[in-house]
Amino acid sequence: MKFVKFTNAIDRYKGMPVYINVDQIKSVYEEPTENGSLSTILWGGDTISRWTVEEGLKEAVDILNGVKK
């Protein structure tokens, strides 16, 4: 089981690290926010889970692929 580190982008956990099991990630995508910017979403899990992270889409994919630590 391999965990990778991301940065939470939501509410009271904003800016705090979150370690996610790479085997649980089913998709990574960007979603528009109310202010017109984009949020990076990691989606998956045994039950549907969704994590909004501060890392951009390309950076998130690089982290998951082991290109960036």
Side-chain angles (χ1 to χ4, degrees):
M1 185 178 327
K2 180 180 175 187
F3 286 86
V4 291
K5 180 182 175 184
F6 289 95
T7 309
N8 269 303
I10 295 293
D11 304 327
R12 68 181 188 177
Y13 301 108
K14 187 173 177 71
M16 296 178 70
V18 57
Y19 292 85
I20 300 173
N21 178 345
V22 296
D23 296 331
Q24 295 298 312
I25 303 299
K26 305 294 184 208
S27 64
V28 181
Y29 58 95
E30 288 180 319
E31 174 176 282
T33 65
E34 291 177 6
N35 67 6
S37 64
L38 294 171
S39 291
T40 304
I41 310 297
L42 305 176
W43 186 87
D46 291 334
T47 60
I48 303 304
S49 296
R50 172 188 162 107
W51 303 275
T52 304
V53 297
E54 290 184 3
E55 290 75 12
L57 181 61
K58 181 179 180 338
E59 184 178 5
V61 170
D62 285 347
I63 290 169
L64 290 169
N65 285 331
V67 174
K68 182 176 181 180
K69 294 184 180 191

